Amino acid sequence: MTKLKTFRIGGIHPNKYKITTDSPIIDAGLPDIVTIPVKQHIGAPAKILVQKGDKVKVGTLLADADGIVSSDVHSSVSGEILKIEETEGEFGYLEKMITIKVEGDDWAPSINRSDDIIREIPFSAEEIIAKIREAGIVGMGGAGYPTPIKTTIPENRKIDFLIINGIECEPFLTADDRLMVEKAEQIVIGAKILNKALGIQNAIIAVDENKPHAVEILSRLSKSYIGVNVQVCATKYPQGGEKQLINAVTGREVPSGKLPADAGCIVQNVGTVNAVYEAVLKNKPLFERIVTVSGDACLHPANFRVRVGTPASFLIEKCGGLTENTAQVIFGGPMMGTSAFNINAPVTKLTSGILLLSDKLAHKAPAGDCIRCAKCVEVCPVGLQPFMIGRLVRAGMLEETREFHPLDCIECGCCAFTCPAHLPLLDYCKLAKAELKRKK
Amino acid sequence: MENIILLSILVLGGIALIASVILYFVSQKCAVEEDTRVAEIENLLPQANCGACGKAGCHDFAVACAAADAKTFSNLFCPVGGASVMGKIAALLGYQTTAKEPTLAVLRCNGTCQNAPAKIIYDGIDSCRIAAGISSGQSGCPNGCLRLGDCVKVCKFGALSINPQTGIPVVDEEKCTSCGACVKTCPRGLFEIRPRGRDGNRVYVACRNTQKGALARKNCAVACIGCMKCTKINPEITVADNLSYIPAGVSADQYGEALVKACPTGAIVCTGKQTPEEKAHD
Amino acid sequence: MLKISTAPHLTTNRDTRALMTDVIIALIPAALVAVLFFGLAALKVILTAVAGCVLFEYLAGRYWFKTGNTTRDGSAVITGLLLAFNLPSSMPVLMILCGCFMAIVVAKLCYGGLGKNIFNPALVGRVFLFISFPVQMTTWPKPEFLNLWSFDAQTGATTLGILKHLDASTSATALVQGTSAESIPAYWQMFVGYTGGCLGEVSALALLIGFVYMLWRKVITWHIPFYYMATVFVITAVMWLLTKDVRYEPLTHLLSGGLILGAVFMATDYTTSPMTKNAQILYAVGCGVLTIVIRLWSAYPEGVSFAILIMNALVPLMDKYAKPRFYGSRR
């Protein structure tokens, strides 16, 4: 057996907890009310085009991208707009959101709702990018970087690799896994569309070995599609990180402080690629996504197809409700996700999972003293020395952390995960980052 | 035997000679010329190296003082040493000082554990900045005190401490030098350097919440709801973003009691004077 | 009420205590061999050292440094075991306790406790005893298989002691009884541990079992032990090939003395070894070179303790300057 590809430095093997691997994606249904944030991406919030009282259909444009780094936002339901105001979001901070009362399920006529798979791509690169922009597609892996910018390659760069990220290295989450199993052909065609948009010949779908079902289906399909290959990678966290995946698949490194395009690579999440397929060939804007609801305190874990704006509490109810031993509700994965302050906050384009964790898993043991075991150095996928950053931050010497490069930290949490003294190394690193960014 | 003694003396003496020559030239080459007044000024300074004056430390401040002319000197001020230290420096340099009103840091939040009860358990490191990054705080007020004491850690004079009953920091008026470290550190910008006021009488709005009235009150009993009642008592008071601000110019002696009485939520605080309830209590 | 906390929300259950427990388990084979060959006298030394270290850690932490009870993390047990492994089985109890005091109180707690000490506590304890009580520390009872009641066993020289005497014999001084080249134990004897020496250092086999266990449990990485032993082996091999002198025999050097114990358990001590891979390799090679220099050209037959202690002092410097290349930095 040949050695599977993986990134060069660091990495950890946390317990996988992939409870929902074999649960098929089910439709979550429609809640009574959805709240759609106008900022579900990196960059400027979208400009609101609708008013209170307007009737909207599924797929109606609600807010328009404001500038280049921004993204369109579409309605995910049909009904009446109740209010457009600052509403408490996931963290308890106020965010501008559009609240819609759901009435029926009336889709915009332009959307092709049939299940037939379209294999012809009758568009030019510019047309494809325009369609991606109109559909409001953003990176669905979690970063939320608008996809049209990523697919528009500056003149002076040459892209050699398009990598489709099907790694999903976070414990518990299975949304991408299920998507690859159920929508394999759509993803492969989506990859071909992106090939065309980028003007390159080859796309690599990277899947890790703990998803044998997805690997099998995609490998079979890729044989009949020229220009799409499947690369099986070893399972290691944080392989799904953009920089780590580039290193794993191509052996290249993204230069410090630069973008993947500087290393000749573009990475797109499988969810994004599926959305690209739907947008380009089915005229369907991005208004729904796959969400894994799981966790050790969740009664009936499942994978859902969810309309953007659906309250998290609606999904939690569907899975048996907030159980007594739920200590934390996490949006996203347990390694990089955020704990929710407000569980009525809506699912956005970026929410890959909602996890109910019991105190047993989410317990934070009190921090001890660093025993200099060097495990944080060993596991850091960037090759930093988290212990040193932590030591300096604890001593209040934030400026001095610069020579240990905290700005290159990808915030994967490997250091804090592995620390036998339970030191909050990632928090220290974030503090150093914030200070250095402020001083820059 | 004699040879050995002689040799040792020669070798050691030679090394000493060479070393002293090197040292002499190095000290000549690397000597730093400095205004002799700098050291004198530095001796007058409190040596807290807090950076409140805007310079990197007391030495830097002394250098700046020595280099300043009469006009630029008036821009230099050591908040820690205060008027007395600046007077001494001015006397040394032969300049005039401008009198500055004594100030101190004031916490503009009254979101105690009682007024703004916790809705959630924060399980993380004691850092307001980190806590602000992952939530609006235990009480849910997006502008309120996070109660984790970043200000306490940064205060070099021990003037700040968290009151275990209320959960929020308390300023020790005796110790506060109004260096401004807490102002810079607080991620919510809750501290303000204000004049101490006559007899310690100060009146200010102890709230920074910019949410609309109902939302603000949901999280905290003593939030400012921007009701404009205080502006009717003194027109200098401004309300912006649902939040009132009482400028330092508004006399606490004159308006303090009226303002406290007018405020429907109790967001306005008047120090120094006893409130009617306290009077009754005594 | 729900809790909120920062990512990552999962953490490993391998805490300090779990890691230390694994090290203790890895030390057990060597302890068994010691009892097997040196009898109950060895057990007495081991128990005294462990009890002494834990007791001093508890008392000093509680009444002197006021750091509370720090014995729970298990590091004092390891220090005690390692100290015992560095002593001959005939060591008097009071002297062992002196060593425990030096190791725990002076070398560890005075620096601020676990994680802050500069020098390996067990080695400080050993070197202190070695300098203070040289006679007792160099009286090596001969191994006797399964003779448990061996409190008055015969004594003899260690392999390295014999090599040192061979050195002297070339300059035509009188040969000490039983220190000719023929009395060097066979490789198998050194490998299983049927040879004179300190309790824990005699059996290469038992120590390697512990090493493999620690590798499997991911307590340590292979770098420091490998580079340490490889350096010693390579230097002695080159010298042996050049001179064909029995004193440079590389396998003898590898298997005798405290080299394997030092390389696997002492040089890899978390607190006193470097954090980055580059620095770890530098440190291990430095330990190897110093060990050979002391063994071959100094008055002492064995140099592992001094070599590691000297390199310990350089660790902060190496950590600062041997930073690894990080992802995306210029090559």
Side-chain angles (χ1 to χ4, degrees):
Chain A
M1 201 182 114
T2 50
K3 206 163 170 260
L4 291 171
K5 285 192 171 182
T6 188
F7 53 96
R8 197 173 56 88
I9 30 180
I12 52 171
H13 297 93
N15 213 335
K16 301 291 176 298
Y17 301 108
K18 301 271 190 191
I19 311 166
T20 48
T21 310
D22 297 319
S23 329
I25 299 168
I26 45 178
D27 207 280
L30 293 169
D32 297 335
I33 280 174
V34 297
T35 43
I36 302 176
V38 294
K39 186 172 187 289
Q40 302 180 29
H41 48 261
I42 284 178
K47 273 184 302 198
I48 296 169
L49 300 174
V50 289
Q51 282 173 346
K52 188 180 162 182
D54 284 3
K55 294 275 183 191
V56 292
K57 285 183 178 166
V58 178
T60 307
L61 186 64
L62 294 178
D64 194 12
D66 188 11
I68 304 262
V69 188
S70 185
S71 179
D72 289 355
V73 176
H74 299 81
S75 175
S76 59
V77 291
S78 58
E80 187 188 335
I81 294 178
L82 283 185
K83 56 181 180 182
I84 301 171
E85 61 182 37
E86 307 263 299
T87 314
E88 201 177 65
E90 180 200 338
F91 301 112
Y93 288 113
L94 296 187
E95 294 165 39
K96 189 141 249 166
M97 294 192 205
I98 299 167
T99 308
I100 304 171
K101 187 168 180 294
V102 180
E103 292 160 358
D105 194 19
D106 186 11
W107 288 46
S110 58
I111 303 172
N112 176 356
R113 292 187 68 183
S114 76
D115 281 336
D116 309 337
I117 291 171
I118 304 170
R119 295 184 178 82
E120 291 299 308
I121 310 165
F123 302 108
S124 70
E126 288 74 32
E127 282 170 328
I128 291 170
I129 292 170
K131 275 184 167 284
I132 292 172
R133 179 171 292 120
E134 277 163 28
I137 297 178
V138 300
M140 285 163 80
Y145 195 70
T147 306
I149 315 174
K150 230 173 168 180
T151 37
T152 315
I153 305 305
E155 295 281 313
N156 52 359
R157 299 252 167 65
K158 193 180 162 292
I159 299 301
D160 308 314
F161 295 99
L162 166 66
I163 303 168
I164 314 293
N165 183 351
I167 296 289
E168 201 166 49
C169 53
E170 285 260 15
F172 287 109
L173 301 188
T174 55
D176 289 352
D177 188 4
R178 284 316 297 177
L179 192 72
M180 284 189 287
V181 169
E182 295 181 25
K183 303 269 173 153
E185 188 148 19
Q186 284 90 326
I187 290 168
V188 173
I189 299 168
K192 290 221 61 148
I193 297 173
L194 285 173
N195 268 351
K196 201 164 177 187
L198 292 166
I200 60 173
Q201 302 305 318
N202 198 2
I204 302 163
I205 304 180
V207 189
D208 60 352
E209 55 170 338
N210 70 352
K211 303 178 178 57
H213 203 169
V215 169
E216 190 221 306
I217 294 176
L218 285 169
S219 308
R220 206 176 52 222
L221 274 170
S222 66
K223 285 193 189 106
S224 45
Y225 286 89
I226 301 156
V228 180
N229 292 316
V230 175
Q231 171 70 56
V232 185
C233 297
T235 306
K236 190 158 87 171
Y237 179 85
Q239 189 131 258
E242 198 168 52
K243 290 178 173 180
Q244 275 56 46
L245 190 58
I246 289 171
N247 186 240
V249 174
T250 70
R252 297 184 185 185
E253 285 187 7
V254 181
S256 171
K258 297 276 176 60
L259 292 170
D262 294 293
C265 297
I266 295 286
V267 180
Q268 297 285 6
N269 179 272
V270 285
T272 317
V273 177
N274 181 51
V276 165
Y277 165 83
E278 289 180 343
V280 174
L281 297 177
K282 300 262 183 174
N283 278 325
K284 184 181 158 194
L286 177 56
F287 58 75
E288 58 181 13
R289 68 158 297 141
I290 314 299
V291 177
T292 303
V293 183
S294 183
D296 64 333
C298 182
L299 284 181
H300 311 294
N303 297 304
F304 288 113
R305 182 182 300 106
V306 183
R307 304 285 173 90
V308 166
T310 306
S313 49
F314 176 79
L315 296 178
I316 295 171
E317 269 328 302
K318 287 233 152 193
C319 291
L322 210 56
T323 49
E324 210 144 86
N325 55 349
T326 308
Q328 274 194 20
V329 177
I330 313 278
F331 278 45
M335 296 299 290
M336 291 183 76
T338 49
S339 39
F341 178 90
N342 168 20
I343 61 163
N344 293 318
V347 167
T348 68
K349 294 173 186 174
L350 314 180
T351 313
S352 48
I354 292 166
L355 306 178
L356 311 185
L357 297 187
S358 74
D359 215 20
K360 211 174 112 226
L361 273 192
H363 177 64
K364 292 234 156 149
D369 285 324
C370 173
I371 57 166
R372 291 178 45 87
C373 66
K375 290 206 178 293
C376 53
V377 183
E378 225 170 90
V379 299
C380 179
V382 192
L384 305 177
Q385 289 135 286
F387 78 100
M388 204 60 207
I389 296 170
R391 215 163 101 185
L392 290 170
V393 171
R394 282 227 272 202
M397 297 159 80
L398 290 155
E399 184 66 20
E400 283 81 351
T401 58
R402 194 182 292 276
E403 65 169 304
F404 296 94
H405 314 286
L407 289 175
D408 284 277
C409 169
I410 58 165
E411 305 190 5
C412 63
C414 285
C415 48
F417 173 87
T418 198
C419 181
H422 306 298
L423 290 169
L425 292 167
L426 179 56
D427 294 347
Y428 293 141
C429 205
K430 280 181 182 164
L431 282 172
K433 268 175 123 169
E435 178 72 11
L436 292 185
K437 274 188 188 150
R438 205 167 60 97
K439 286 257 168 75
K440 206 156 68 174
Chain B
M1 192 65 193
E2 269 178 24
N3 264 346
I4 296 174
I5 294 172
L6 195 70
L7 203 66
S8 317
I9 291 172
L10 281 177
V11 169
L12 288 174
I15 292 171
L17 194 73
I18 294 166
S20 57
V21 169
I22 293 171
L23 272 177
Y24 175 76
F25 280 109
V26 169
S27 72
Q28 287 288 303
K29 182 124 180 100
C30 301
V32 182
E33 276 188 42
E34 199 168 53
D35 197 330
T36 48
R37 295 177 303 173
V38 169
E40 289 174 45
I41 298 169
E42 218 178 327
N43 282 336
L44 295 171
L45 291 170
Q47 295 299 342
N49 288 318
C50 61
C53 51
K55 300 281 180 274
C58 289
H59 179 79
D60 239 32
F61 183 73
V63 172
C65 285
D69 55 32
K71 205 170 172 192
T72 49
F73 181 73
S74 63
N75 296 330
L76 294 164
F77 186 75
C78 170
V80 179
S84 68
V85 165
M86 288 316 290
K88 280 182 205 155
I89 297 174
L92 187 84
L93 298 170
Y95 298 141
Q96 292 290 312
T97 46
T98 43
K100 276 209 176 165
E101 214 178 341
T103 53
L104 89 169
V106 165
L107 177 69
R108 287 183 293 166
C109 175
N110 208 1
T112 60
C113 299
Q114 292 75 33
N115 289 335
K119 291 201 183 92
I120 212 130
I121 304 160
Y122 172 75
D123 184 16
I125 64 169
D126 284 352
S127 161
C128 300
R129 197 182 280 212
I130 288 286
I134 60 162
S135 76
S136 55
Q138 292 171 54
S139 70
C141 173
N143 306 95
C145 177
L146 292 150
R147 305 174 192 158
L148 295 167
D150 274 8
C151 49
V152 177
K153 270 169 244 150
V154 87
C155 183
K156 289 197 174 157
F157 306 97
L160 283 163
S161 57
I162 297 277
N163 180 336
Q165 258 87 50
T166 60
I168 61 171
V170 188
V171 182
D172 186 332
E173 296 194 15
E174 300 278 302
K175 289 183 185 162
C176 180
T177 58
S178 63
C179 70
C182 47
V183 180
K184 278 184 219 144
T185 297
C186 180
R188 296 275 161 91
L190 293 178
F191 284 98
E192 189 190 7
I193 302 293
R194 290 178 78 98
R196 280 174 184 255
R198 202 161 57 77
D199 301 332
N201 290 356
R202 298 179 290 279
V203 65
Y204 59 94
V205 181
C207 183
R208 293 276 284 158
N209 189 308
T210 53
Q211 289 172 313
K212 278 186 187 149
L215 270 176
R217 280 299 291 273
K218 204 179 86 189
N219 293 325
C220 180
V222 294
C224 171
I225 53 173
C227 66
M228 316 289 284
K229 278 187 181 147
C230 45
T231 57
K232 292 188 184 90
I233 292 169
N234 188 318
E236 275 180 61
I237 298 173
T238 52
V239 172
D241 282 347
N242 309 311
L243 178 66
S244 159
Y245 178 72
I246 303 180
V250 176
S251 159
D253 300 325
Q254 207 175 336
Y255 300 104
E257 226 166 298
L259 283 169
V260 170
K261 226 179 260 171
C263 182
T265 59
I268 294 177
V269 171
C270 186
T271 58
K273 277 196 185 149
Q274 284 180 319
T275 56
E277 290 131 59
E278 276 171 336
K279 255 181 204 160
H281 196 74
D282 287 345
Chain C
M1 247 192 285
L2 285 176
K3 271 205 305 201
I4 49 169
S5 62
T6 48
H9 304 284
L10 295 183
T11 45
T12 174
N13 51 9
R14 301 261 294 154
D15 59 0
T16 306
R17 200 176 141 87
L19 290 175
M20 296 296 174
T21 312
D22 273 339
V23 178
I24 294 171
I25 292 170
L27 283 166
I28 286 175
L32 287 178
V33 168
V35 177
L36 218 56
F37 289 150
F38 299 107
L40 289 176
L43 193 65
K44 185 191 77 181
V45 172
I46 292 173
L47 290 180
T48 313
V50 171
C53 283
V54 174
L55 193 73
F56 280 127
E57 170 113 8
Y58 177 77
L59 291 178
R62 176 139 185 208
Y63 296 107
W64 187 8
F65 299 102
K66 314 268 186 223
T67 47
N69 184 1
T70 48
T71 53
R72 265 187 59 83
D73 59 33
S75 61
V77 177
I78 295 176
T79 304
L81 276 171
L82 286 176
L83 179 63
F85 281 11
N86 274 298
L87 303 174
S89 62
S90 55
M91 200 69 190
V93 169
L94 272 179
M95 290 181 188
I96 300 174
L97 290 178
C98 282
C100 292
F101 180 82
M102 277 306 284
I104 290 294
V105 180
V106 178
K108 188 169 142 197
L109 294 179
C110 278
Y111 284 96
L114 181 64
K116 301 188 186 81
N117 49 309
I118 299 172
F119 298 105
N120 188 320
L123 283 179
V124 172
R126 179 201 135 91
V127 166
F128 169 77
L129 292 176
F130 188 67
I131 292 168
S132 312
F133 313 108
V135 176
Q136 286 85 347
M137 283 296 284
T138 50
T139 307
W140 318 103
K142 276 190 175 167
E144 284 171 72
F145 187 67
L146 269 182
N147 178 9
L148 291 179
W149 211 253
S150 58
F151 288 99
D152 48 0
Q154 276 189 302
T155 59
T158 62
T159 314
L160 287 171
I162 298 168
L163 293 184
K164 209 70 192 180
H165 275 290
L166 287 178
D167 205 10
S169 69
T170 51
S171 55
T173 44
L175 272 172
V176 179
Q177 184 78 49
T179 53
S180 59
E182 291 78 49
S183 55
I184 295 173
Y187 291 141
W188 73 266
Q189 279 179 319
M190 291 194 275
F191 189 69
V192 297
Y194 197 68
T195 162
C198 295
L199 291 184
E201 68 184 27
V202 289
S203 172
L205 178 66
L207 292 168
L208 290 177
I209 290 172
F211 181 40
V212 170
Y213 177 79
M214 287 205 292
L215 283 183
W216 173 60
R217 298 287 289 165
K218 295 206 169 101
V219 178
I220 56 169
T221 56
W222 54 272
H223 298 80
I224 292 179
F226 173 79
Y227 280 99
Y228 192 166
M229 293 193 271
T231 308
V232 170
F233 187 82
V234 167
I235 294 177
T236 48
V238 167
M239 294 185 62
W240 187 66
L241 286 176
L242 289 179
T243 62
K244 294 285 175 192
D245 189 332
V246 70
R247 282 179 297 145
Y248 302 139
E249 236 277 328
L251 267 179
T252 310
H253 271 283
L254 202 60
L255 294 172
S256 64
L259 180 67
I260 297 179
L261 176 67
V264 174
F265 290 99
M266 313 278 235
T268 57
D269 171 43
Y270 282 155
T271 308
T272 54
S273 64
M275 301 283 276
T276 65
K277 280 277 139 3
N278 301 351
Q280 281 176 356
I281 293 168
L282 198 67
Y283 164 85
V285 171
C287 284
V289 171
L290 283 175
T291 303
I292 285 302
V293 167
I294 296 172
R295 275 189 183 180
L296 296 182
W297 292 293
S298 84
Y300 294 115
E302 174 59 308
V304 170
S305 318
F306 291 108
I308 296 176
L309 283 177
I310 292 168
M311 291 312 286
N312 279 170
L314 300 178
V315 163
L317 215 68
M318 289 193 282
D319 263 343
K320 191 162 166 58
Y321 291 107
K323 265 185 259 172
R325 204 189 76 83
F326 66 95
Y327 182 105
S329 62
R330 228 171 279 132
R331 277 174 210 265

